[in-house]
Amino acid sequence: MVCSIVCEYNPFHKGHERQIQYLKGQGHQVICIMSGSFVQRGETAVYSKWIRTKWALLAGADLVLELPVFYSLQSAQGFARGAIASLYATGMVDAVSFGMEVQDVSTLQSMARLQQSDGFSLALKAHLAAGLSYPRAMEQAAKESLTDLPLEAFSPNSLLGVEYLKAMAELHWSPALLPLHRGADSPTATSCRGEIHLGQQPNGVPGYVQRDLTSLTPAKLEDLTQLILYRLRTMDPDSLAMVEDVSEGLHNRIITAAKQHHDLPSMMDAVSSGRYTRARVRRIICCALLGITKAELDPYRKTPPYIRVLGVQGKERSLLGKLTKNCTVPVISSSKDFSSVPLFQKELMATELYSIATHQNSGADYTTPLIVTP
């Protein structure tokens, strides 16, 4: 069975390794679809997509695909829809595995069914109109109908699990579900990133990751502060209003803050609120940098324009042939495939921005070969 994992590996830690090795131990081939240069929190990835691909392959993954940046920089719903649509388009995925904080996947299935009902939509709109952020409004609306939900049902991985289930239902796709419970003692990417940005060696990563970290410089969104300020200060407000996830006059609030502040944290403080989370604002800023608009995304909400391969296990090279044969959209595995694929220029721009943040040379998407492990 071909089992898929939606991931960011930001950075790759022992919990990620355990998930891959568990699935491999069950006899499955493992395909990972991973965020590239920018991640769903609205940040640059802490390390490049190619080094994270290598770590996934060393852990046992058979194939690593790139989740396009116009999906990775969306809300949890858009992120999940893009990832699930991409996996569906491969035509070769039998099962989906994801981490969750709840004990039983039936809890997430109940939440997914609820969120697809008219009554939930009305309750959600009412809470949003009252000024709550989307995550808080969603939680309140869910608790009103499902009164016995455990606290863990609203943890990040569980909520993403709900979005995966909703995305599958929209596509009328029913792959096998292989969820893994995440215990309180599981390492987290957040804690690992915190240690990395403090200049410390994170305790929760495998040895092969630890060894690589000694020669790598981590990236963060603040490394692009000057480019962000230039872009926002010179951007027409109507153009920013067309960027993905901008609504309710938020574009004016962002541009005003960019003109009044010269550093990213204080600008974020001026924009974010109970209604607008910092993660949402960061995603909008990244989308503004890349020119990702609602209109150009609309045709690809449920069908990706391409599938991009980042790496493969050498002994599983046949998976590439199977992917090319079964995939319903173009497959990109080398630079010669780039030019004719819709929206791929956004990926090229994201890589260029990441290269600037990490002081690397231009053109990495053209010069970096497919990562292949022995």
Side-chain angles (χ1 to χ4, degrees):
M1 188 156 64
V2 176
C3 184
S4 60
I5 301 172
V6 182
C7 57
E8 296 199 295
Y9 297 154
N10 189 38
F12 191 87
H13 59 62
K14 291 178 181 178
H16 299 136
E17 181 184 58
R18 283 198 294 269
Q19 182 183 22
I20 292 173
Q21 293 182 353
Y22 168 77
L23 296 173
K24 294 293 292 183
Q26 299 296 308
H28 305 313
Q29 291 179 301
V30 176
I31 295 178
C32 299
I33 184 161
M34 184 187 75
S35 297
S37 299
F38 288 83
V39 297
Q40 199 270 331
R41 292 170 53 85
E43 299 275 5
T44 57
V46 68
Y47 296 113
S48 82
K49 55 192 175 187
W50 290 290
I51 190 69
R52 289 179 287 130
T53 293
K54 185 185 87 167
W55 292 335
L57 294 173
L58 288 174
D62 297 298
L63 190 66
V64 181
L65 310 177
E66 181 173 26
L67 181 65
V69 67
F70 41 85
Y71 292 147
S72 71
L73 282 175
Q74 290 196 45
S75 65
Q77 183 181 61
F79 176 92
R81 278 178 172 170
I84 295 301
S86 297
L87 293 172
Y88 181 66
T90 66
M92 55 188 287
V93 170
D94 305 303
V96 177
S97 177
F98 52 86
M100 61 181 189
E101 290 84 358
V102 297
Q103 294 286 345
D104 192 338
V105 72
S106 64
T107 299
L108 305 188
Q109 291 169 324
S110 295
M111 291 178 66
R113 286 192 294 270
L114 171 67
Q115 291 185 28
Q116 291 168 308
S117 68
D118 293 338
F120 178 85
S121 297
L122 291 173
L124 177 63
K125 289 177 181 177
H127 289 302
L128 290 171
L132 294 183
S133 66
Y134 182 87
R136 183 63 178 155
M138 184 277 301
E139 181 176 343
Q140 288 296 105
K143 286 179 175 178
E144 289 168 5
S145 296
L146 299 174
T147 56
D148 58 345
L149 287 173
L151 182 63
E152 293 81 8
F154 300 99
S155 298
N157 288 286
S158 294
L159 291 175
L160 260 180
V162 171
E163 296 299 341
Y164 296 147
L165 296 175
K166 288 164 57 181
M168 292 172 199
E170 289 177 359
L171 291 170
H172 305 288
W173 184 39
S174 301
L177 301 179
L178 298 175
L180 273 71
H181 177 252
R182 289 174 53 91
D185 59 343
S186 299
T188 68
T190 300
S191 62
C192 291
R193 283 195 305 275
E195 292 167 335
I196 288 167
H197 286 309
L198 288 173
Q200 303 170 356
Q201 288 289 333
N203 294 318
V205 302
Y208 47 87
V209 174
Q210 195 80 262
R211 287 190 293 273
D212 283 339
L213 295 188
T214 60
S215 60
L216 294 172
T217 301
K220 55 185 182 299
L221 191 62
E222 283 80 358
D223 296 323
L224 297 172
T225 295
Q226 299 306 309
L227 287 177
I228 290 169
L229 291 177
Y230 171 78
R231 174 66 169 155
L232 294 176
R233 289 181 180 185
T234 58
M235 198 171 188
D236 179 73
D238 290 339
S239 297
L240 184 56
M242 297 171 63
V243 166
E244 179 68 8
D245 209 21
V246 175
S247 62
E248 305 160 341
L250 182 54
H251 54 298
N252 291 320
R253 187 181 179 114
I254 291 173
I255 287 178
T256 298
K259 291 179 177 179
Q260 293 177 346
H261 299 275
H262 63 273
D263 65 274
L264 210 51
S266 62
M267 194 189 87
M268 291 292 182
D269 288 341
V271 178
S272 58
S273 65
R275 179 185 289 269
Y276 308 121
T277 66
R278 294 179 79 89
R280 179 181 177 184
V281 175
R282 287 195 302 265
R283 286 193 297 268
I284 289 170
I285 288 171
C286 293
C287 286
L289 270 180
L290 294 165
I292 298 173
T293 65
K294 304 166 191 175
E296 63 186 345
L297 265 182
D298 282 343
Y300 304 108
R301 300 288 179 181
K302 294 184 180 180
T303 303
Y306 62 86
I307 296 293
R308 201 254 182 106
V309 182
L310 290 175
V312 63
Q313 287 279 1
K315 63 180 181 295
E316 299 290 349
R317 293 283 302 244
S318 61
L319 274 176
L320 288 178
K322 185 177 180 181
L323 174 64
T324 302
K325 178 181 178 181
N326 291 280
C327 195
T328 58
V329 298
V331 176
I332 295 175
S333 59
S334 66
S335 58
K336 65 181 176 61
D337 302 322
F338 291 174
S339 59
S340 62
V341 179
L343 285 185
F344 194 78
Q345 68 274 15
K346 303 299 181 185
E347 210 65 63
L348 298 174
M349 292 170 64
T351 303
E352 290 305 315
L353 286 169
Y354 193 85
S355 297
I356 292 170
T358 52
H359 306 286
Q360 301 296 314
N361 291 336
S362 176
D365 274 313
Y366 292 99
T367 59
T368 307
L370 189 71
I371 306 299
V372 181
T373 56

